[in-house]
Amino acid sequence: MPQWTVISKSHHAHTRYYPREGYHHAREQLVAPVLLAELPKLVQHFMLGFMPQGERYVTVALLGVEQSQNLYVHPDGRWLGGYVPASLRGYPFNLLPDEHGQRVLCIDAEQLTEDSDVGQPLFDEHGQPSAAVARQLDFHQHCEANRQRTQQAVDALQQAGVLQPWPLEISRGEREVPRKIEGLYRIDEKALNTLDAANYATLQGAPMALAHAQLLSAHQLSQLTERAKFHAQNATQEVPENLDSVLDGVDD
């Protein structure tokens, strides 16, 4: 797990960091938080669902079915697909709340270094964030603004009572017991379609777009199943860089 530390000029003026190379950090990640802005691309590649987080829910993309195995990451760190969720692209940085609740730029402490030969500077010679760090801050600020919009949409779906537990099972072959995925929720299509006018009106716009995207993404179940089979059958062989292209024929 990342050890997030707040970036500050007083502590990191001369500190460098290792930029992200590939997606090793996500190789054991089974879900990734996703954003409204990503929906058009997400539904082409991932199954979407909702997971409880305290008293609320968050929208996630399902990345794997077996413990600690992200089916979209090659052992060498390459991403095996046509799109990478924004929450994974921002590593080793993150925008997290400080003790006052203000969101500040953080970095995984394990990616810090004093080695000037391999590390990139966090701050320039004038004590300002380097150009690369400034771009990361801008990226994360945009993601945070959209995360808030996404959360508002999920909250509206929750309040409308259209989220239900998802008894999801993933086939692992004729002689294998199906893998049960627990903890996921989905849109209750029947409940959505029978809402009264007042509740239906509260879902217009972003909440309804999110609901329809989740329902549409359920068709990616076949691809997720085939990804699991492909990894199992080719564990010792070279995996194509874009596994989506290999699985196009089985995608629903």
Side-chain angles (χ1 to χ4, degrees):
M1 294 290 291
Q3 302 296 315
W4 300 114
T5 183
V6 177
I7 297 173
S8 68
K9 185 166 59 176
S10 59
H11 289 91
H12 304 113
H14 304 292
T15 305
R16 294 172 176 264
Y17 72 96
Y18 299 110
R20 176 181 58 76
E21 293 185 2
Y23 293 91
H24 296 282
H25 65 284
R27 65 182 180 274
E28 297 184 357
Q29 198 166 329
L30 298 185
V31 297
V34 293
L35 305 171
L36 274 171
E38 302 179 277
L39 292 183
K41 295 180 179 178
L42 291 170
V43 295
Q44 302 177 48
H45 303 283
F46 306 98
M47 286 184 64
L48 306 180
F50 305 95
M51 291 189 69
Q53 189 172 81
E55 297 181 354
R56 308 169 85 178
Y57 292 81
V58 294
T59 311
V60 298
L62 190 59
L63 305 177
V65 298
E66 298 289 349
Q67 190 67 31
S68 304
Q69 184 186 25
N70 185 336
L71 297 175
Y72 290 81
V73 176
H74 189 281
D76 66 11
R78 282 177 294 156
W79 188 261
L80 302 173
Y83 182 74
V84 184
S87 61
L88 302 182
R89 283 184 273 128
Y91 186 83
F93 297 93
N94 203 349
L95 202 64
L96 299 172
D98 62 12
E99 64 273 18
H100 305 294
Q102 299 295 317
R103 297 246 168 196
V104 292
L105 191 65
C106 301
I107 190 170
D108 184 351
E110 293 186 356
Q111 301 306 308
L112 295 175
T113 180
E114 301 295 333
D115 190 342
S116 60
D117 292 332
V118 295
Q120 292 189 9
L122 289 169
F123 294 90
D124 62 23
E125 63 273 17
H126 304 294
Q128 298 300 313
S130 67
V133 172
R135 287 193 298 270
Q136 283 288 337
L137 177 59
D138 184 65
F139 172 76
H140 281 282
Q141 287 176 332
H142 277 85
C143 287
E144 173 58 20
N146 200 257
R147 186 197 66 79
Q148 294 181 24
R149 289 190 61 232
T150 306
Q151 190 61 60
Q152 291 170 359
V154 179
D155 290 346
L157 294 171
Q158 180 182 359
Q159 292 166 11
V162 296
L163 299 182
Q164 65 174 2
W166 194 353
L168 183 61
E169 291 189 352
I170 305 294
S171 173
R172 297 188 293 183
E174 294 182 0
R175 300 182 180 180
E176 297 290 334
V177 177
R179 170 71 171 169
K180 293 183 178 181
I181 308 298
E182 299 180 349
L184 279 178
Y185 285 69
R186 63 180 173 183
I187 294 295
D188 184 338
E189 190 169 9
K190 181 178 179 180
L192 183 68
N193 292 333
T194 56
L195 285 174
D196 58 45
N199 280 319
Y200 192 87
T202 66
L203 302 184
Q204 295 305 299
M208 195 61 74
L210 182 56
H212 288 158
Q214 192 282 310
L215 290 169
L216 181 62
S217 74
H219 293 294
Q220 296 295 344
L221 174 60
S222 59
Q223 184 186 141
L224 192 66
T225 299
E226 293 304 319
R227 276 180 176 272
K229 292 179 181 178
F230 190 93
H231 277 268
Q233 294 169 1
N234 297 274
T236 61
Q237 300 180 26
E238 177 67 15
V239 181
E241 183 168 352
N242 188 346
L243 194 52
D244 285 343
S245 63
V246 177
L247 301 176
D248 277 347
V250 299
D251 195 285
D252 204 349

